[in-house]
Every structure is written in structure tokens, then in C-alpha cells.
């Protein structure tokens, strides 16, 4: 067994342990980088430390700190209040506004799970007031986060642009963002329409059964309030879970939205988010540095947000991402990635290699960190994207969408956040429905995006 194969198996083991236990895979990968690097590859500790992604670390810390402040000082509540006022009694505007709000936060640099964590509790509760399925609203919010995830100032977008730079297509940054945005917007419409239609039909059947003297425990939402173990609770096939997982489909008596004041601090926070886009996209300032500057200014204006903001930062996710990328850097240093690239080149067909890579990242991302997965696959994708018969932006877009569209999986951070925002009584059904949707995404999306962006050459 070659050293490179052993090194890859160690990484797979770290992913596996991190997926099925509470141990952080990034922590394991960091320790493994020193073990494999020094004992097997003959590298010095200093060389291994040199693989730590300092730039990515500052991006993660800066972005998550900034948007922790956005949440804590009530700016997100102000945005939600404006959204509800704008929607009025127009139900269809609610999912659109929640999609745009999540997409805007992600586009402005919020780490995707952070954007979902900010919007999901507000969005699901708001959807329930309008009689919208929680599953439908949850899927819309995740797609909104994915739509903005490949903005040049988002950690996902930074990794995507790194692949574009390696393939000599640094000018394709905006196209990558636009294609991902449009695809996820279309997917959000499909998800919302499909789930709402299923729930409407299910509710009609439940009402008819109730009117005919059926199970009196059934509610208007087709089982969301049914006792566990009943025929509609989802104890049967997985397909039933899609029907019963959404809760709160009935529209109760709506109350007027609770007013949220546009305080000077909140207005300055919104100005800070806008300035982040200007500093990074127009002036070319590093995303992490710009985020830290704005966060520091906001903390100086209101020091009370510092402690809760720092404590609420997703340190586990930061350790995960930086640990995985450090290990990948060690693999590249020892020449293991070069062997993998040569193996893919041996397929003799870059288009086929792109399809296989799309499925690989979709499957791995469903159980692990999308950012970590992109960090691992990045050096492998670059030579594929450089094939003159393919478009670099098309190849990277296919990989980007395939890796992020499965984030709705309950085993991923984003899916877990949706479950945490759902009603406790709906957790089992929500879990099944999200898992079924993620499986459908794994089966359909990689082939679809490969056909559009790689085979047809859109990009």
C-alpha cells in the first residue's frame, strides 16, 4: 500500500469518525496531518504548520463574528419585521422575501450555516402564521443560503474562486455566483410548489376523512398534530414522511407584526454590511480583514455585543474547515494529490471525471462539511477545469452546486439547523423528509448540472 493511499484513508477515517460521532473531524485531521506528515512523509513540524490556511481562518472568523453581531444587536429582527410588513397579507411574498433575505446575508459574507441559523427561526415561525408548510419554508431558506453562498465574499465563494484561479479563469467569479444563484432560485420554486401541493392534497384527504367520521385525532395539516404511531404520523414508508413532516400548514388568526425599532446601531450595522461589499468587491480588500474591521467598529459602538458574539461563533465549524484544509495542504506537500490528479487524468475523459467528481462531492457533503469537501476537491478539479474542451466556469459551477445542494441533509450543519428550528413534535418526520429530499438531490442534481454546465458548456 502506497503512502499516498494510506494518507487518503486517514482523511476518510477522519471524515467517518466526525460524521458518526461528536468528535470534530477537523481536530482529528489537524492531529493526523502532523502524524502522517512527520512520520510517513518525512516533513518537519514547521512544514506541516505552514499548511494551515491563515487566510481562510481570517475569513471564517471575520464573517462569523460580524454576523453574530448582526443577530445579537437585533438587525436581523429589523429585517424580518420589514419583510413581514412588506408581505402584508400576500402569502406568496413570504417565501420570496425569506429566500432573498437569506441569499442577501450569504452574499454579504455570512457563513451559510450562520445565515440559516439567523433566518430559519424567524422564517419558519413567519411561515406558520401564513399557513405555509415548515418543510417548504425550510427548503426555501436553505436554497436561499446556497444561492448566495458562492458570492466572492462568502467562504464557499472564496474556495470556488480558488478553483477558478487555479484553472486560469479568475474572471469567472461573477458568473459562478450568478449561475449558482439562478439554479438555487429555480430549485427553491420547485421545492416550495411541490411540498405545498402535496400538503394541500394531504390536508384535503385528512379533512374528508375527518368529516366522514375517520380518525378524530387528525388535524387540518394532515397529521402534524397527530399522535405518534398513528397511521399518518409517518411510521410507515419514507414517502409518507414527505407528506407529514411539514407542520403548521393551517393558517390561524394572524396578528399584526411586532414592531422592531430602527435604532442607530441597527442602521449602522446595515451600513456596515453594505460597506463590506464595497470594500471587498470594489476596493479589493481581503474579506476576512474587511469583516474584522467592520466588526471592530460595531463593537466599539456597543461593547456589550462583544462577549455574546464571540461565544456564539461556530468555533467547531471553524476548527473543522481549517483542520481539513490543513490536512489537504499536507497531502499536496507530500505529493499525494498529484498522484490522484494523474489517476483522474488516466481516465482520458475530463468530462467523465467532472461527472464522477460531482457525485463524489454530493455524497460526501451530505454527511460532512461542504467547505471541507470543497477544500479537499479543489486541487483535483483545477486540472479538469483546464481541459480546453471544457469551460472552467462550467466545471466549477457543477462542483459548487453538487456540493452545496445536499446541505439540506439532516446530517449536515444546515439540515441540523432546520431541525433545531422545527417544533419538537415534528423532529422525527422532519428528519425523514429532509433525508429523503437530500437523497433525491444526490441522485438528480449532479447529473443535471454536469449536463448543463459541463456537457453543454454553459459558462
Amino acid at each position: 500500500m502506497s503512502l499516498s493511499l494510506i494518507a487518503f484513508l486517514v482523511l476518510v477515517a477522519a471524515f467517518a469518525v466526525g460524521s458518526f460521532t461528536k468528535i470534530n473531524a477537523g481536530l482529528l485531521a489537524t492531529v493526523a496531518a502532523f502524524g502522517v506528515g512527520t512520520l510517513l512523509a518525512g516533513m518537519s513540524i514547521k512544514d506541516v504548520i505552514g499548511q494551515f490556511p491563515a487566510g481562510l481562518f481570517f475569513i471564517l472568523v471575520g464573517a462569523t463574528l460580524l454576523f453574530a453581531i448582526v443577530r445579537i444587536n437585533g438587525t436581523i429582527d429589523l429585517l424580518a419585521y420589514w419583510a413581514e410588513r412588506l408581505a402584508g397579507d400576500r402569502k406568496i411574498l413570504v417565501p420570496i422575501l425569506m429566500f432573498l433575505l437569506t441569499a442577501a446575508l450569504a452574499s454579504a459574507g455570512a457563513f451559510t450555516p450562520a445565515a440559516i441559523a439567523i433566518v430559519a427561526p424567524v422564517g419558519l415561525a413567519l411561515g406558520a402564521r401564513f399557513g405555509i408548510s415548515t418543510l417548504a419554508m425550510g427548503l426555501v431558506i436553505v436554497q436561499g443560503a446556497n444561492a448566495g453562498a458562492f458570492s466572492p465574499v462568502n467562504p464557499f465563494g472564496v474556495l470556488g474562486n480558488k478553483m477558478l484561479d487555479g484553472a486560469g479563469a479568475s474572471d469567472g467569479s461573477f458568473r459562478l455566483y450568478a449561475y449558482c444563484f439562478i439554479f438555487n432560485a429555480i430549485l427553491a420554486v420547485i421545492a416550495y410548489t411541490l411540498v405545498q401541493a402535496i400538503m394541500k392534497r394531504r390536508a384535503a384527504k385528512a379533512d374528508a376523512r375527518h368529516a366522514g367520521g375517520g380518525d378524530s385525532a387528525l388535524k387540518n395539516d394532515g397529521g402534524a398534530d397527530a399522535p405518534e404511531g398513528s397511521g399518518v404520523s409517518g411510521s410507515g414508508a419514507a414517502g409518507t414522511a414527505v407528506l407529514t413532516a411539514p407542520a403548521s400548514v393551517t393558517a390561524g388568526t394572524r396578528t399584526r407584526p411586532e414592531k422592531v425599532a430602527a435604532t442607530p446601531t441597527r442602521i449602522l450595522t446595515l451600513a456596515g454590511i453594505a460597506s463590506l461589499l464595497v470594500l471587498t468587491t470594489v476596493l479589493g480588500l481581503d474579506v476576512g480583514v474587511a469583516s474584522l474591521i467592520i466588526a471592530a467598529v460595531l463593537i466599539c459602538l456597543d461593547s456589550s455585543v462583544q462577549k455574546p458574539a464571540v461565544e456564539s461563533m461556530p468555533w467547531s465549524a471553524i476548527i473543522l474547515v481549517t483542520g481539513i484544509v490543513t490536512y489537504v495542504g499536507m497531502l499536496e506537500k507530500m505529493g499525494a494529490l498529484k498522484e490522484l490528479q494523474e489517476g483522474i487524468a488516466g481516465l482520458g475523459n475530463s468530462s467523465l471525471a467532472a461527472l464522477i467528481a460531482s457525485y463524489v462531492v454530493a455524497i460526501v457533503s451530505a454527511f460532512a462539511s461542504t467547505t471541507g469537501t470543497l477544500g479537499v476537491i479543489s486541487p483535483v478539479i483545477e486540472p479538469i477545469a483546464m481541459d480546453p474542451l471544457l469551460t472552467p466556469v462550467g466545471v466549477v459551477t457543477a462542483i459548487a452546486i453538487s456540493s452545496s445542494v445536499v446541505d439540506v441533509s439532516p446530517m449536515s450543519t444546515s439540515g441540523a439547523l432546520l431541525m433545531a428550528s422545527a417544533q419538537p413534535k415534528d423532529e422525527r418526520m422532519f428528519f425523514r423528509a429532509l433525508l429523503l429530499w437530500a437523497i433525491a438531490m444526490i441522485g438528480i442534481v449532479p447529473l443535471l448540472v454536469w449536463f448543463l454546465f459541463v456537457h453543454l458548456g454553459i459558462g
Side-chain angles (χ1 to χ4, degrees), residues 172-186:
S173 175
F174 178 76
R175 280 178 288 159
L176 170 64
Y177 170 56
Y179 293 149
C180 291
F181 194 103
I182 294 170
F183 186 91
N184 281 285
I186 294 173

Side-chain angles (χ1 to χ4, degrees), residues 45-400:
I45 290 181
K46 185 177 180 180
D47 286 338
V48 178
I49 292 176
Q51 307 311 310
F52 180 80
L56 181 59
F57 174 78
F58 277 110
I59 290 172
L60 294 175
V61 170
T64 55
L65 175 61
L66 174 59
F67 284 93
I69 294 172
V70 171
R71 177 180 57 82
I72 290 168
N73 68 15
T75 302
I76 188 62
D77 296 325
L78 177 62
L79 292 174
Y81 169 68
W82 285 347
E84 189 170 4
R85 285 288 303 273
L86 183 61
D89 292 323
R90 292 162 293 187
K91 175 179 175 179
I92 192 60
L93 282 183
V94 176
I96 294 174
L97 291 172
M98 289 301 103
F99 174 90
L100 293 176
L101 176 57
T102 319
L105 291 172
S107 298
F111 200 37
T112 303
I116 294 172
I118 289 170
V119 178
V122 177
L124 296 188
L126 188 59
R129 293 176 61 185
F130 280 83
I132 298 173
S133 157
T134 52
L135 177 60
M137 183 62 80
L139 292 175
V140 166
I141 290 171
V142 172
Q143 298 314 138
N146 288 340
F150 288 90
S151 155
V153 300
N154 189 284
F156 281 18
V158 171
L159 290 172
N161 290 331
K162 180 182 176 184
M163 285 187 269
L164 289 177
D165 292 341
S170 56
D171 60 341
S173 175
F174 178 76
R175 280 178 288 159
L176 170 64
Y177 170 56
Y179 293 149
C180 291
F181 194 103
I182 294 170
F183 186 91
N184 281 285
I186 294 173
L187 187 57
V189 172
I190 294 173
Y192 178 83
T193 305
L194 178 63
V195 173
Q196 282 292 94
I198 291 174
M199 286 309 304
K200 185 177 181 181
R201 186 171 66 236
R202 186 68 176 179
K205 288 182 179 179
D207 287 341
R209 187 181 304 176
H210 181 63
D215 188 352
S216 59
L218 291 176
K219 307 297 181 184
N220 290 339
D221 62 10
D225 295 318
E228 190 170 294
S230 68
V232 189
S233 69
S235 57
T240 309
V242 175
L243 304 180
T244 58
S248 306
V249 229
T250 55
T253 303
R254 292 188 57 240
T255 58
R256 294 177 62 85
E258 185 177 346
K259 185 176 181 180
V260 179
T263 64
T265 298
R266 291 167 184 166
I267 297 299
L268 287 173
T269 302
L270 291 175
I273 295 174
S275 64
L276 175 65
L277 295 175
V278 175
L279 290 172
T280 54
T281 59
V282 179
L283 302 181
L285 188 63
D286 180 82
V287 177
V289 174
S291 298
L292 286 172
I293 292 172
I294 297 168
V297 171
L298 293 175
I299 289 173
C300 289
L301 293 173
D302 181 9
S303 60
S304 66
V305 302
Q306 176 180 289
K307 189 174 186 294
V310 173
E311 290 177 347
S312 66
M313 287 171 62
W315 291 109
S316 179
I318 292 172
I319 292 172
L320 170 65
V321 173
T322 54
I324 294 295
V325 175
T326 297
Y327 192 92
V328 171
M330 185 277 299
L331 288 177
E332 191 167 18
K333 185 78 173 178
M334 69 180 287
L337 289 182
K338 185 176 181 182
E339 291 186 24
L340 179 60
Q341 292 167 359
E342 291 173 350
I344 291 178
L347 293 173
N349 189 324
S350 295
S351 180
L352 176 61
L355 177 61
I356 294 174
S358 296
Y359 271 105
V360 168
V361 296
I363 294 171
V364 173
S365 292
F367 297 92
S369 161
T370 301
T371 319
T373 304
L374 288 172
V376 171
I377 204 70
S378 177
V380 178
I381 295 302
E382 290 170 9
I384 297 175
M386 292 174 68
D387 189 316
L389 298 178
L390 306 178
T391 60
V393 176
V395 172
V396 174
T397 300
I399 296 298

